[in-house]
C-alpha cells in the first residue's frame, strides 16, 4: 500500500518555493533595504574583504625639496566582514496533517502558512538589525516601569514594532556590543502597540531575577550575534580603538563615518546642516532615512515653508518608495521614511557605498538534503529557514549618523 511520504510532499512544495522565499514583503516593510544594492555572490568564501584608502600620499609643498622630504605614502586598510546566520522554523503537528490528508492541497496551504509566518519573523528581525549596531538590542525598559509586575513599557514607544506575542526575551545592561545577558528569560503574552507596553507570562523579575529599568531587551539568542547594520558602520558615537572587522577606526574618522548632535535646531535646518557636513567629505549624499514619526515632522516642516517635492525612488527591488527631495551642496538628496529606522536620528549618505551581501537568496529554506520539510522526533514535520549575509559599507566616511531629537 502506497502513502504520501515526506519526499512526495517536498517535491510538491518546490513548486511553491522554487528559488527561495519571496522577499517582496521584506522590501515593502523596509524601504531602505530595498534601495541598497544586493549581491548574492560576494558573501561566498572566507570573508568579504573591503579595502579602503583613507589617506592620500602626502608629498606636497611649494618647494620641491620640501615636498620630497615630507613625502608620506597613502594609508589604506581592509575590513574583513563575515556573514552572520539568522534562522527561522515552522512545525506542523501530525494531527493537522491527518485532517488534511484527503485534500493534499489543504495540507500544502497549511504548511505554506506556517512557513510564511516563520519567514515574517526572520524578515522583521532583519529589518531591525539592518539599522542596528550589531548588538541586537530591540529597545529598553522605561524608567517608569515596574519590573516586579508582568507589564513594562518601552523607553521609546516606537520600538514596539520589533516585538511579537510569543517571543522569548533576554535582558542585559549593555546594548549587545559588549557585556553579557542576564540569567533567565521571559515569554511575551501581550503586546500593546498603542501604549508601547510588553506583558510577560509572569513578573519580569520572576523570569529574570536581575531585571531592572533601563535594561536592553533582546530576542533570545540574538545578543551580539546579528548583522552589522548602519549604526555599526557609522556609530552613534565616535568608535573606540576596539577593532571593527579587523580595523582600528580611531586613526581616521573616515573609517567610522560622520556624526553630530543637531537636536537643538529645527528638523528642516538639521537636514541641511547634515547635508553640508557630509558634503565636506566629498559625499554625493543622495539618500537620507528617518523614522516614520520624524519623517512626518520633517514633511510638515517643509510643507509649511512651501518647499515640498515628493519623488519616486529607483531601486532594484521594484518596490514603490516615495521620498521628499531636498537640494544639498551636491544636488538632490531623497529623504525616505522607514518604520524600522531609529527614532530621533537621521541616517544619510551615498547609496553606492553600501551593499547587502548574502549567500544566495536573502531568506531560503534549508533543503541541502533535498527535503524542504523533515520529520521531527515527535508527530510533526518541520521546515527550517536561514538567512546568511551582512551589510557592507565600502566607504563609511561618506555617510553620517546625526541626532535630531
Amino acid at each position: 500500500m502506497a502513502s504520501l511520504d515526506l519526499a512526495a510532499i517536498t517535491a510538491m512544495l518546490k513548486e511553491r518555493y522554487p528559488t527561495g522565499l519571496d522577499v517582496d514583503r521584506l522590501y515593502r516593510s523596509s524601504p531602505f533595504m530595498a534601495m541598497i544594492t544586493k549581491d548574492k555572490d560576494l558573501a561566498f568564501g572566507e570573508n568579504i574583504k573591503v579595502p579602503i584608502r583613507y589617506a592620500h600620499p602626502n608629498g606636497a609643498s611649494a618647494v620641491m625639496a620640501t615636498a620630497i622630504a615630507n613625502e608620506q605614502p597613502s594609508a589604506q586598510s581592509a575590513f574583513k566582514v563575515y556573514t552572520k546566520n539568522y534562522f527561522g522554523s515552522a512545525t506542523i503537528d501530525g494531527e493537522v496533517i491527518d485532517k488534511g490528508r484527503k485534500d493534499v492541497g489543504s495540507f500544502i496551504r497549511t504548511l505554506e502558512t506556517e512557513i510564511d509566518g516563520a519567514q515574517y519573523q526572520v524578515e522583521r528581525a532583519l529589518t531591525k538589525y539592518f539599522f542596528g549596531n550589531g548588538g541586537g538590542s530591540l529597545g529598553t525598559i522605561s524608567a517608569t516601569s515596574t519590573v516586579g509586575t508582568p507589564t513594562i513599557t518601552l523607553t521609546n514607544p516606537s520600538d514596539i514594532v520589533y516585538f511579537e506575542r510569543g517571543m522569548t526575551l533576554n535582558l542585559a545592561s549593555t546594548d549587545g556590543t559588549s557585556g553579557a545577558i542576564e540569567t533567565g528569560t521571559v515569554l511575551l503574552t501581550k503586546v500593546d502597540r498603542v501604549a508601547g507596553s510588553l506583558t510577560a507570562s509572569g513578573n519580569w523579575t520572576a523570569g529574570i531575577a536581575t531585571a531592572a529599568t533601563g535594561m536592553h531587551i533582546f530576542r533570545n539568542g540574538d545578543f551580539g550575534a546579528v548583522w552589522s547594520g548602519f549604526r555599526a558602520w557609522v556609530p552613534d558615537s565616535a568608535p573606540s580603538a576596539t577593532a571593527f572587522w579587523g580595523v582600528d577606526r580611531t586613526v581616521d574618522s573616515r573609517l567610522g563615518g560622520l556624526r553630530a548632535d543637531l537636536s537643538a535646531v529645527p528638523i528642516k535646518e538639521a537636514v541641511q546642516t547634515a547635508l553640508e557636513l557630509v558634503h565636506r567629505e566629498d559625499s554625493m549624499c543622495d539618500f537620507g532615512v528617518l523614522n516614520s514619526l520624524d519623517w512626518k515632522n520633517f514633511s510638515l516642516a517643509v510643507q509649511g515653508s512651501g518647499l515640498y517635492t515628493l519623488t519616486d525612488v529607483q531601486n532594484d527591488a521594484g518596490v514603490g518608495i516615495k521620498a521628499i527631495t531636498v537640494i544639498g551642496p551636491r544636488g538632490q538628496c531623497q529623504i525616505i521614511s522607514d518604520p524600522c529606522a531609529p527614532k530621533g536620528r537621521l541616517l544619510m549618505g551615498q547609496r553606492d557605498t553600501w551593499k547587502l551581501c548574502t549567500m544566495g537568496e536573502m531568506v531560503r529554506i534549508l533543503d541541502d538534503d533535498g527535503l524542504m520539510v523533515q520529520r521531527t522526533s515527535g508527530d510533526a514535520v518541520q521546515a527550517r529557514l536561514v538567512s546568511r549575509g551582512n551589510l557592507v559599507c565600502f566607504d563609511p566616511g561618506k555617510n553620517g549618523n546625526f541626532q535630531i531629537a
Side-chain angles (χ1 to χ4, degrees), residues 86-104:
Y86 207 80
F87 300 99
S89 66
T91 302
I92 299 181
D93 189 73
E95 183 180 2
V96 176
I97 298 174
D98 286 340
K99 287 182 178 295
R101 189 174 297 280
K102 288 188 178 182
D103 181 359
V104 178

Side-chain angles (χ1 to χ4, degrees), residues 7-345:
I9 292 172
T10 296
M12 297 172 73
L13 280 174
K14 285 188 177 181
E15 295 301 317
R16 172 64 174 85
Y17 302 114
T19 58
L21 295 167
D22 178 17
V23 294
D24 284 352
R25 178 176 57 194
L26 170 64
Y27 294 142
R28 287 195 299 271
S29 62
S30 182
F32 181 49
M33 188 183 293
M35 289 172 57
I36 300 303
T37 299
K38 319 300 183 302
D39 191 314
K40 300 179 183 179
D41 298 317
L42 193 60
F44 289 97
E46 181 182 3
N47 57 54
I48 305 167
K49 190 172 183 179
V50 185
I52 181 170
R53 174 182 289 182
Y54 59 89
H56 297 285
N58 279 288
S61 173
V63 179
M64 173 62 78
T66 304
I68 295 173
N70 293 335
E71 183 178 321
Q72 291 291 329
S74 61
Q76 48 265 321
S77 191
F79 298 101
K80 295 181 179 179
V81 184
Y82 292 90
T83 58
K84 294 188 177 182
N85 299 326
Y86 207 80
F87 300 99
S89 66
T91 302
I92 299 181
D93 189 73
E95 183 180 2
V96 176
I97 298 174
D98 286 340
K99 287 182 178 295
R101 189 174 297 280
K102 288 188 178 182
D103 181 359
V104 178
S106 68
F107 168 64
I108 299 302
R109 288 195 296 272
T110 302
L111 183 55
E112 286 176 1
T113 298
E114 289 300 294
I115 292 176
D116 287 346
Q119 179 191 0
Y120 178 79
Q121 285 303 309
V122 173
E123 291 172 352
R124 291 300 296 170
L126 295 180
T127 55
K128 160 63 175 175
Y129 300 143
F130 195 74
F131 290 101
N133 61 7
S137 173
L138 300 177
T140 58
I141 301 176
S142 72
T144 58
S145 295
T146 304
V147 294
T149 65
T151 301
I152 60 94
T153 57
L154 295 168
T155 303
N156 183 354
S158 296
D159 291 337
I160 199 71
V161 299
Y162 309 133
F163 295 91
E164 295 283 341
R165 182 183 182 277
M167 288 174 64
T168 300
L169 302 174
N170 297 123
L171 293 178
S173 58
T174 60
D175 65 1
T177 57
S178 63
I181 60 171
E182 303 294 315
T183 300
T185 62
V186 297
L187 177 67
L188 278 190
T189 59
K190 185 185 298 184
V191 180
D192 189 326
R193 304 187 184 281
V194 177
S197 65
L198 305 173
T199 300
S201 57
N203 294 344
W204 283 69
T205 49
I208 305 172
T210 52
T213 59
M215 281 191 169
H216 290 264
I217 309 171
F218 302 82
R219 184 191 288 270
N220 188 27
D222 286 5
F223 182 93
V226 299
W227 281 359
S228 296
F230 191 107
R231 294 163 78 190
W233 288 96
V234 187
D236 294 354
S237 56
S240 69
T242 301
F244 177 71
W245 296 122
V247 175
D248 176 2
R249 297 185 287 180
T250 62
V251 297
D252 196 306
S253 60
R254 287 175 178 165
L255 296 169
L258 304 170
R259 61 200 50 78
D261 185 350
L262 306 177
S263 59
V265 300
I267 189 169
K268 186 173 64 172
E269 183 179 337
V271 169
Q272 287 296 332
T273 301
L275 282 167
E276 188 274 327
L277 289 172
V278 292
H279 170 61
R280 293 182 192 176
E281 290 301 315
D282 198 32
S283 172
M284 295 303 295
C285 197
D286 49 7
F287 80 87
V289 188
L290 290 169
N291 176 272
S292 301
L293 291 175
D294 294 323
W295 192 89
K296 179 202 73 173
N297 293 333
F298 178 59
S299 174
L300 292 173
V302 292
Q303 287 184 66
S305 63
L307 302 172
Y308 188 84
T309 303
L310 201 62
T311 58
D312 293 314
V313 179
Q314 298 299 315
N315 61 92
D316 58 10
V319 177
I321 304 172
K322 296 291 185 180
I324 297 174
T325 298
V326 297
I327 304 300
R330 296 295 294 272
Q332 292 187 345
C333 178
Q334 294 181 308
I335 311 295
I336 69 166
S337 166
D338 195 306
C340 290
K343 187 177 183 300
R345 290 200 168 269

